[in-house]
Structures are given as C-alpha cells and as structure tokens.
Amino acid sequence: MRETAFELLEHDTLRINFEGNVSIDVPKSGACLQVHMAQSSDLLMVRNYLYGTGLAALCYRHGLLPLHGSAARVGDEAVIFSGDSGAGKSTLATAMARRGHRLLSDDVCPFDFCGVGPRPLLRSAFPRVKLLADAIEGFGFGKGTVYTESPRGTKGHFGMVSVYAEESISSLPVSAIYMLGESKDEGIRARSLQNQEAFRVVGEQIHRSGVGELLNLRGQTFSQLVKLISSVPIYVLERPRGFDLLDRTVDFIESQHANEGRIP
C-alpha cells in the first residue's frame, strides 16, 4: 500500500495524495474539500479517506487539535479512548454505544479550545467505527461497507446510529482521556499520567501530525497539548483484551464517572 503523501500547492492549498489515484485538496480557508479521483476509484474508499485524513486536515485548518481515538458520550461529557492502531479504541467505543452511551467519533477526535469553560470541547464527527474480525463476530455484525488494512489485520467499517432518540450534538466538554493498554491479568486499572509523561503519550497520538508541521502549526499544537493535559485527566487504562471480558471494562468506565458525579 502506498503511503499517504502531503504537499503544499499555490495559495497555501494542502494536497493529500492517496493510493488509487485519489487526492484531496484542502484550501487555506478550510471552507471545503475538493476531491480528485479516477473514474474507476472506489467511492467507499474515498469516503474513508474523507472521514479520516481529510477530517484531520480540516481540523488543522480550523484551529482544532485532531487526536487519534474514539469517543463516547457519558452523562453530559465526552470520554475519549486513544492509543495505537489495534489497541481496541473502536471496539470499546462500540461496546459503550451498545450500553447506551452515544458514539461521538471514531479515528479522529477533534478538540476545540475556544469554549468558555476550563476544559476543551470535543466536536462530534461521523457515527461509524472500524473493527477487526474478532470484534465484528463478537458484536454479531454482518458485512462492513468497506475494508481497510491495519497493523493488526483487516478492519471492517460500520455505520453506528444511536438506538435512543437524542438531540443533535455538536460538541461536549471532555471528561477524561484513556490511553488503552493491556493488563497482565484479568484486573482493570486506571493509572493517572501527569506532566511530561502525559504530554509525550498524548502527543504521540496526534492524528496526522505531519500535516500540522507542513502547515507550520507546531507552536499551536504544542500550546494545545499543554492546555489539554493541564485541564483534562489522562489515564492509562490497563484491561484484559478478551472480547468476553469487554463488558467488565465498560462497567469500570461507568463506575469511574459515576463516582465523579458525571453519570445521572
């Protein structure tokens, strides 16, 4: 698979080149995305490009910080699950959604630092998830709309619609960020990260950080990261990875936030 490549064109337009003769142009204003593709291009794959890298590029253009992660609504706030590809972000977010916690975003979590409160807001994105084969089977899902490759195997893409009638959500304050890890036993633990460790761990999950550097936004990204770790609790969530133990992790997340008064 060819690596995604970025370049700056005239008038500071960002061009993103994908495999399959597909490219996306993002103007400096960030007012739109222009897609260039061959007649034979896979439209579902193009949509995947838009939902992922395209959305991250728009975040940079609009002063938002894109974090690699998934998000679910817990109470009136957003809980973020982040980590390397294959860490189980989408699987945990899907399990939360099936428990009644609305899926807010997957793959790209846009953070907005222009709110009036002390914590950043999560801008809700597209209600879809990318799942590995074991999660697809475990949740009883059928065939995905499109499939892509990841370091841990093929992922199927699925649209997610809340089973509850809810109001439209544009943004919510961020309650916590959980960096997903794996426990050596069946215990579930949340270890708090502070200062330099939090900055490093979260910074490693900035989505398409090369785009920010190409657009000379390194200073902005640094400042946003400092604000993020100063205002939002960051944890390493160590939990067993077996699908049959997934509900226990959801129970743990709910109990953590119920104890803080963040779940009715």
Side-chain angles (χ1 to χ4, degrees):
M1 180 180 292
R2 190 181 74 180
E3 289 291 325
T4 303
F6 309 95
E7 57 180 322
L8 280 179
L9 308 179
E10 287 185 306
H11 309 298
D12 204 24
T13 294
L14 173 68
R15 171 163 290 178
I16 313 169
N17 297 301
F18 301 93
E19 66 173 337
N21 296 317
V22 177
S23 63
I24 298 174
D25 289 351
V26 189
K28 186 176 182 179
S29 67
C32 64
L33 294 175
Q34 185 174 14
V35 179
H36 307 274
M37 61 184 183
Q39 194 170 19
S40 59
S41 297
D42 184 336
L43 294 180
L44 291 175
M45 189 61 70
V46 172
R47 185 177 68 176
N48 178 54
Y49 297 151
L50 290 169
Y51 285 176
T53 302
L55 175 59
L58 278 179
C59 287
Y60 286 112
R61 287 301 199 191
H62 286 275
L64 306 176
L65 180 69
L67 188 73
H68 183 212
S70 302
R73 177 177 180 171
V74 180
D76 291 324
E77 299 180 319
V79 172
I80 315 298
F81 308 112
S82 186
D84 295 336
S85 180
K89 303 178 294 294
S90 298
T91 301
L92 183 51
T94 302
M96 294 286 292
R98 288 166 68 92
R99 188 71 70 87
H101 303 288
R102 181 169 175 169
L103 178 73
L104 299 173
S105 62
D106 184 60
D107 197 28
V108 181
C109 291
F111 286 80
D112 186 346
F113 294 85
C114 296
V116 296
R119 287 175 289 147
L121 301 174
L122 175 83
R123 294 281 192 93
S124 60
F126 303 105
R128 57 105 203 197
V129 291
K130 298 186 294 184
L131 300 170
L132 290 166
D134 60 339
I136 294 172
E137 180 180 357
F139 287 126
F141 291 167
K143 185 178 180 181
T145 56
V146 67
Y147 291 84
T148 54
E149 296 301 320
S150 77
R152 292 196 62 182
T154 302
K155 288 186 174 182
H157 296 224
F158 297 86
M160 293 286 291
V161 179
S162 176
V163 297
Y164 299 97
E166 297 187 48
E167 75 281 8
S168 175
I169 298 174
S170 60
S171 60
L172 287 173
V174 179
S175 175
I177 299 175
Y178 292 93
M179 313 302 297
L180 299 187
E182 185 170 356
S183 63
K184 297 180 180 179
D185 51 35
E186 293 191 358
I188 302 175
R189 295 169 288 273
R191 177 172 63 87
S192 177
L193 298 181
Q194 304 290 333
N195 304 323
Q196 291 183 347
E197 186 181 17
F199 185 94
R200 176 184 60 80
V201 171
V202 176
E204 290 174 350
Q205 299 303 326
I206 300 302
H207 204 294
R208 295 300 187 185
S209 59
V211 172
E213 294 182 4
L214 184 61
L215 298 177
N216 295 314
L217 297 176
R218 183 176 294 181
Q220 172 184 289
T221 300
F222 181 91
S223 176
Q224 290 173 332
L225 271 174
V226 171
K227 291 179 181 178
L228 180 61
I229 67 171
S230 299
S231 59
V232 175
I234 314 293
Y235 302 98
V236 171
L237 179 63
E238 299 177 347
R239 84 284 186 220
R241 288 297 301 272
F243 189 88
D244 57 333
L245 300 174
L246 186 58
D247 278 343
R248 287 185 53 221
T249 303
V250 176
D251 291 340
F252 179 86
I253 296 294
E254 288 182 334
S255 67
Q256 285 285 100
H257 294 270
N259 290 339
E260 297 170 8
R262 291 174 180 169
I263 292 181

